[in-house]
Amino acid sequence: MATLFRWLLRLASTAILLSVVVVGLVYYLASRSLPDYDKDLTVAGIGAEVDIVRDNAAVPHIFAASDADAYFGLGYAHAQDRLWQMVLMRRTVQGRLSEIFGRRTLETDILMRRLDLYPLATRSVASQTPETLAALRAYSAGVNARITEINEHSLGRGAPEFFLFDAPIAPWQPADSISLVKLMALQLSGQFRDEILRARTSLLLPDPKRLADILPDIPGAGTAALPDYASLFPGLQMPRYAARDPGTSAYKDRLTPFAERGFAGASNAWAAAPARSAGGGTLLANDPHLGFTAPSTWYLARLELSSGGVIGATVPGIPAVMLGRSQKLAWGLTSSYLDDQDLHIEELNPENPQEYRTPDGWKRFQTRRSIVEIRGEAPVTVTLRWTDNGPVLPRTRFELDAITPPGHVVSMNWTALSGSDTSVSGALRLMAAGSVQEALDEATPLYVAPSQMLTLIDREHIAMKLIGAMPLRDPAHQSQGRMPSPGWVEANRWQGVFPDSENPVWTDPDGGIVGNTNNKIIDRPFPAHVSFDWGDSQRVMRWSQLMQGRQVHTRDSFIEAQLDTVSPAARTLLPLIGRDLWFTGEAAPEGTPERQRQRALELLADWNGEMNEHLPEPLIYAAWVRALQERLIRDELGPLADAYSHVEPLFIERVYRDVDGASAWCDVIRSVAVETCSDIARMALDDALVWISERYGTALESLRWGDAHQALHRHTVLGDIPVLRYFTNIRQATSGGDFTLERGRTSGTDPDPFTSVHGATYRGVYDFADPDSSVFITSTGQSGHLLSRHYDDLGTLWRRGEYIPMSLDEDLARAASIGVTRLLKE
């Protein structure tokens, strides 16, 4: 027995020792790629010494003798901290993920090849301004200098992820940076998904009144009646969603750049003129909303250029401060929701499937073969097809098989499918602009895609303009771009784009305030309408109250608005859905569902709509309205109800106000009884309370919204791997919700429907009364290296609603530095 014990002890000791050795070896190899911020390095490609001063948040302040050298330094800094992120994004847009991830990313690669974004980016290089070309080349040289240093000094391959997913790193090129802008355009575009959903719903709900309920227009001038989807294709047998195999598009891939409906981008931005500022200077606040990732999309940086200092948020791989300020100008971006995509149904020639129908007869597809390499498997050859209307998409993705008649395919037209895209030139010209007017005249016309709302301030003026190419459609377009339309009908084809002068712009308005929360910005008739589908009908109401609630604003009042957690949707909907349930006075014994319902209603009756993480009411309310919408739509839509994963306040308001007979949704069509809207509200509340009790217990007063509403910043690749995910993912309890200015868009899907997955990945507030008092923050940290203390340090401040100084004071940056990297001329 003693001998057995000794052997077991030896085996256990050996196992522990081996584990320690393995962990130590892994740590050593991973730590080799941690960047050293305090060093001298001799490099080729610069004209003079470049200083990269890292402040105490690891924000690089780049000082150089020329603009080209400054961009070189930015490229080097990006590659120091985010090389894996840059390479991953480049592989995504190239359609080359499967070379390192295998078959799991094959469909994404094929889709990216079909869109042809990288070849279009390569063609766009020649269209850039001379200054932009010089910047792109210098930036690429800086990235490549870091890659060379990694290879020559065995610096752990540049990032820990490269040990798990081994692949050679090709030198960076100017086209790579342009392609990443196109990738951002893809991530921020979602109009084609709205077209698909509208068509699918139309096939089930031929009554246009009911379609207008579930997919409501933002209140304003009415829209002319549209045909139902099936009528666009007379004589053809249209598919119905209920008859479709729900498994045909079940493919999920976290590496896909195609955002799900409702997650294609959102943002807030507002500005105040000197007359509305307590300090007498202009003010600007901006918080763009993107999917939460670790690390964040954004990377803070400061460059000292010949035009002066520029500081703000960059995207690793792109040599531009996308959001931020210079000494003379500040700018912010929000999603415009411009309808810049159209789907077309293309008829195949039954005699020759290599041809499609056009207004002038049959025409051959433009085709090209592309070989997709797959790790560990034989490569796949894909035939890419293009029509006059754009690339052909596969029927198996985006539920296209549910709306495509037999003998037809779907193509997509999109402003980003341009081989002369000068958006990068626009971003660089914006950084050099010395005034609002100069930015409007010289920078904004260069933007193509993604379309955004650009908010600008200089020391005296404020402005807001929609930037990006606006498609020019025929006034006789059959669906007005709201649903897929026959591609062979001339009226459905684009006629180019509007001139930049037609893009909406507001400069120095009388009220002294401009802003955008993705709300409807203009009421112009089609085709100059901008969009029928907007991202916000709720936040704008709260924003208007906060802006008009005081005569003058300060930096701190703008911060307060950014962090506001009151839900106007909750304030509107609760009195409607609960009007017949409040204070009924019915007796209910302890432990019964009726008693629990009474407790919930008592809590909600005293609630002000604040989605505070420490309160129980937001969780009760959110669960209630989610269950309510499910009960309202499930019997009419069947499996299609799964596509409506988020509560639409305008839909519920229409139902409970009985707008155009919308209360018809309350009756369960498969039951004998005729249910009222009060019946459905009561049953939905009971549903919600059962769900809450199963997840969080029955003590309603002890509930916390933050237990359900946790911001999940997921590592794109390692975030789902057991054990590793606990080191790479960042999870934080947060306030806010889908319809608050401090927006925390929820996942909307089980098992954790209220996890916050999309929100303000960057916040900045700029005050030209005292520019160096400006502040900014990102949602994670500067480093993409999970062993770095800067991997999540800014995320702690972000979660608490705090910021770091945004100063162009060189002495302050050097005094607070944690290291200076000196790049010396070879």
Side-chain angles (χ1 to χ4, degrees):
M1 193 69 179
T3 303
L4 178 61
F5 175 77
R6 284 196 298 271
W7 275 107
L8 290 174
L9 181 62
R10 290 170 185 170
L11 289 173
S13 300
T14 302
I16 293 172
L17 180 61
L18 287 175
S19 299
V20 171
V21 170
V22 169
V23 171
L25 181 62
V26 169
Y27 181 85
Y28 170 76
L29 293 174
S31 64
R32 290 284 296 166
S33 55
L34 274 170
D36 179 5
Y37 295 145
D38 199 10
K39 64 181 178 184
D40 292 351
L41 179 69
T42 301
V43 297
I46 55 175
E49 177 182 314
V50 177
D51 280 4
I52 304 175
V53 180
R54 301 276 183 164
D55 66 21
N56 58 6
V59 177
H61 296 249
I62 301 168
F63 302 97
S66 68
D67 287 359
D69 286 353
Y71 287 117
F72 184 103
L74 179 62
Y76 180 85
H78 277 169
Q80 264 190 312
D81 286 319
R82 302 285 187 90
L83 184 61
W84 168 257
Q85 181 182 3
M86 295 167 63
V87 170
L88 187 66
M89 290 193 298
R90 179 173 65 177
R91 281 188 172 275
T92 300
V93 74
Q94 289 175 334
R96 296 180 55 209
L97 292 172
S98 299
E99 294 177 15
I100 56 177
F101 298 115
R103 184 164 289 273
R104 61 174 282 207
T105 56
L106 179 59
E107 288 200 35
T108 293
D109 281 346
I110 292 174
L111 269 171
M112 296 307 297
R113 301 287 180 100
R114 292 192 188 282
L115 292 179
D116 235 16
L117 293 184
Y118 192 82
L120 290 169
T122 301
R123 286 165 47 191
S124 295
V125 171
S127 300
Q128 309 308 312
T129 65
E131 298 82 6
T132 300
L133 278 175
L136 288 169
R137 289 169 180 150
Y139 177 86
S140 297
V143 175
N144 295 332
R146 174 60 178 173
I147 295 174
T148 299
E149 179 191 12
I150 291 167
N151 293 333
E152 291 181 351
H153 295 87
S154 301
L155 299 181
R157 300 186 181 177
E161 291 89 344
F162 287 114
F163 282 106
L164 298 175
F165 306 101
D166 186 20
I169 305 174
W172 201 264
Q173 303 179 67
D176 298 341
S177 296
I178 297 173
S179 74
L180 296 196
V181 176
K182 289 186 175 293
L183 182 64
M184 290 192 69
L186 180 61
Q187 294 167 331
L188 294 172
S189 298
Q191 292 284 355
F192 81 101
R193 286 191 181 272
D194 288 314
E195 286 190 40
I196 295 169
L197 183 60
R198 187 176 295 276
R200 292 166 65 194
T201 308
S202 175
L203 291 173
L204 285 179
L205 299 174
D207 183 349
K209 288 185 178 180
R210 301 292 74 83
L211 186 62
D213 294 333
I214 189 66
L215 289 170
D217 291 329
I218 301 296
T223 301
L226 293 174
D228 66 90
Y229 183 60
S231 69
L232 295 174
F233 307 94
L236 294 179
Q237 182 180 357
M238 298 302 296
R240 287 181 62 85
Y241 179 85
R244 165 181 178 274
D245 177 7
T248 55
S249 64
Y251 177 79
K252 297 293 183 184
D253 176 20
R254 295 197 186 279
L255 290 170
T256 181
F258 294 87
E260 294 293 330
R261 180 177 180 268
F263 294 99
S267 307
N268 297 317
W270 46 83
R276 296 295 301 272
S277 167
T282 53
L283 290 162
L284 171 62
N286 182 214
D287 54 294
H289 305 164
L290 296 171
F292 290 144
T293 58
S296 162
T297 298
W298 305 106
Y299 180 89
L300 305 178
R302 176 265 187 90
L303 291 84
E304 194 65 31
L305 302 173
S306 58
S307 57
V310 183
I311 188 170
T314 67
V315 175
I318 302 173
V321 174
M322 309 294 281
L323 318 159
R325 72 175 185 90
S326 63
Q327 293 169 331
K328 300 178 180 178
L329 187 75
W331 56 95
L333 294 172
T334 58
S335 294
S336 70
Y337 281 79
L338 170 70
D339 187 2
D340 55 5
Q341 295 174 327
D342 268 0
L343 295 180
H344 297 278
I345 305 297
E346 309 284 3
E347 182 181 353
L348 299 177
N349 185 349
E351 304 297 327
N352 182 2
Q354 304 305 315
E355 295 179 341
Y356 66 99
R357 186 179 173 188
T358 74
D360 302 317
W362 301 111
K363 184 175 183 179
R364 288 189 67 85
F365 290 100
Q366 294 181 32
T367 61
R368 189 178 78 246
R369 292 198 171 191
S370 184
I371 299 174
V372 182
E373 301 287 342
I374 307 173
R375 181 180 181 181
E377 298 185 29
V380 171
T381 300
V382 181
T383 299
L384 311 179
R385 293 188 295 175
W386 279 61
T387 71
D388 293 342
N389 294 316
V392 173
L393 302 179
R395 293 174 63 107
T396 56
R397 292 302 304 270
F398 313 120
E399 294 80 31
L400 288 174
D401 56 335
I403 62 167
T404 309
H408 294 70
V409 294
V410 180
S411 67
M412 181 170 75
N413 209 345
W414 178 30
T415 55
L417 301 176
S418 166
S420 54
D421 189 336
T422 53
S423 299
V424 173
S425 291
L428 294 184
R429 186 71 61 84
L430 182 63
M431 293 165 57
S435 68
V436 164
Q437 197 59 51
E438 184 180 343
L440 292 175
D441 293 342
E442 299 184 12
T444 62
L446 296 173
Y447 284 92
V448 176
S451 173
Q452 301 275 277
M453 295 301 301
L454 174 67
T455 305
L456 295 163
I457 63 170
D458 57 23
R459 293 183 181 271
E460 298 178 358
H461 305 284
I462 65 175
M464 186 174 71
K465 181 180 180 180
L466 186 149
I467 58 173
M470 289 177 50
L472 179 58
R473 297 178 177 89
D474 192 307
H477 191 294
Q478 288 178 287
S479 76
Q480 299 183 340
R482 306 192 74 178
M483 291 187 290
S485 59
W488 60 88
V489 175
E490 184 66 41
N492 296 335
R493 294 183 158 210
W494 286 6
Q495 302 172 355
V497 296
F498 281 99
D500 178 72
S501 59
E502 291 296 313
N503 286 31
V505 60
W506 296 262
T507 56
D508 294 325
D510 292 339
I513 298 282
V514 295
N516 179 249
T517 65
N518 316 125
N519 53 288
K520 183 176 181 178
I521 58 169
I522 200 165
D523 189 20
R524 298 196 305 202
F526 178 86
H529 64 305
V530 176
S531 180
F532 289 113
D533 297 302
W534 303 90
D536 171 47
S537 64
Q538 304 295 311
R539 302 196 315 273
V540 66
M541 295 188 291
R542 180 62 178 171
W543 172 74
S544 298
Q545 292 173 352
L546 294 176
M547 292 299 104
Q548 298 298 86
R550 45 192 304 161
Q551 180 62 36
V552 293
H553 285 274
T554 64
R555 184 202 70 172
D556 291 341
S557 74
F558 269 30
I559 290 175
E560 181 182 350
Q562 275 190 340
L563 302 177
D564 186 80
T565 61
V566 172
S567 171
R571 289 184 168 185
T572 300
L573 295 183
L574 274 176
L576 287 174
I577 65 178
R579 60 189 171 195
D580 295 329
L581 304 180
W582 309 117
F583 316 116
T584 59
E586 297 176 359
E590 188 67 36
T592 63
E594 291 78 11
R595 185 62 172 268
Q596 193 75 338
R597 189 194 311 143
Q598 286 182 358
R599 285 199 181 109
L601 289 168
E602 287 169 2
L603 288 169
L604 293 174
D606 295 328
W607 180 49
N608 67 351
E610 182 183 2
M611 304 292 284
N612 186 296
E613 64 177 292
H614 302 294
L615 296 178
E617 291 90 350
L619 179 55
I620 300 171
Y621 159 75
W624 186 5
V625 291
R626 182 172 186 261
L628 177 61
Q629 180 163 291
E630 169 70 11
R631 278 192 173 268
L632 289 173
I633 70 175
R634 176 62 65 175
D635 59 323
E636 280 88 356
L637 299 185
L640 183 55
D642 294 336
Y644 292 88
S645 58
H646 288 82
V647 169
E648 175 48 66
L650 290 182
F651 166 63
I652 295 178
E653 187 173 356
R654 283 177 66 93
V655 170
Y656 277 80
R657 293 190 189 279
D658 194 21
V659 177
D660 292 333
S663 63
W665 289 88
C666 293
D667 182 36
V668 180
I669 58 179
R670 288 178 289 181
S671 73
V672 175
V674 178
E675 290 82 5
T676 68
C677 290
S678 295
D679 294 333
I680 298 299
R682 183 183 66 255
M683 290 187 284
L685 180 53
D686 290 343
D687 291 340
L689 294 175
V690 170
W691 182 86
I692 288 172
S693 67
E694 293 173 346
R695 297 291 299 269
Y696 304 103
T698 58
L700 297 183
E701 294 81 359
S702 301
L703 297 174
R704 290 180 70 256
W705 174 232
D707 291 339
H709 192 255
Q710 296 188 349
L712 176 58
H713 311 263
R714 189 192 302 271
H715 190 286
T716 308
V717 175
L718 306 180
D720 291 322
I721 298 178
V723 181
L724 279 179
R725 66 188 180 198
Y726 295 107
F727 297 95
T728 59
N729 294 344
I730 304 168
R731 186 182 286 271
Q732 306 153 313
T734 55
S735 298
D738 288 351
F739 307 108
T740 57
L741 288 174
E742 186 183 343
R743 184 174 177 271
R745 180 73 160 169
T746 55
S747 72
T749 56
D750 292 323
D752 300 304
F754 302 125
T755 295
S756 179
V757 296
H758 193 278
T761 48
Y762 168 86
R763 297 186 186 116
V765 181
Y766 323 128
D767 182 0
F768 270 149
D770 181 10
D772 281 338
S773 72
S774 302
V775 292
F776 59 168
I777 198 71
T778 62
S779 55
T780 57
Q782 287 289 91
S783 178
H785 199 299
L786 60 92
L787 296 181
S788 171
R789 68 185 179 92
H790 299 293
Y791 181 70
D792 60 356
D793 57 339
L794 295 183
T796 302
L797 302 176
W798 173 89
R799 176 253 180 277
R800 297 200 300 253
E802 299 178 13
Y803 300 72
I804 60 175
M806 186 188 198
S807 174
L808 289 171
D809 186 326
E810 180 177 351
D811 293 336
L812 180 61
R814 291 186 180 275
S817 73
I818 58 173
V820 178
T821 300
R822 293 184 177 86
L823 303 180
L824 307 175
K825 182 179 178 180
E826 191 173 63

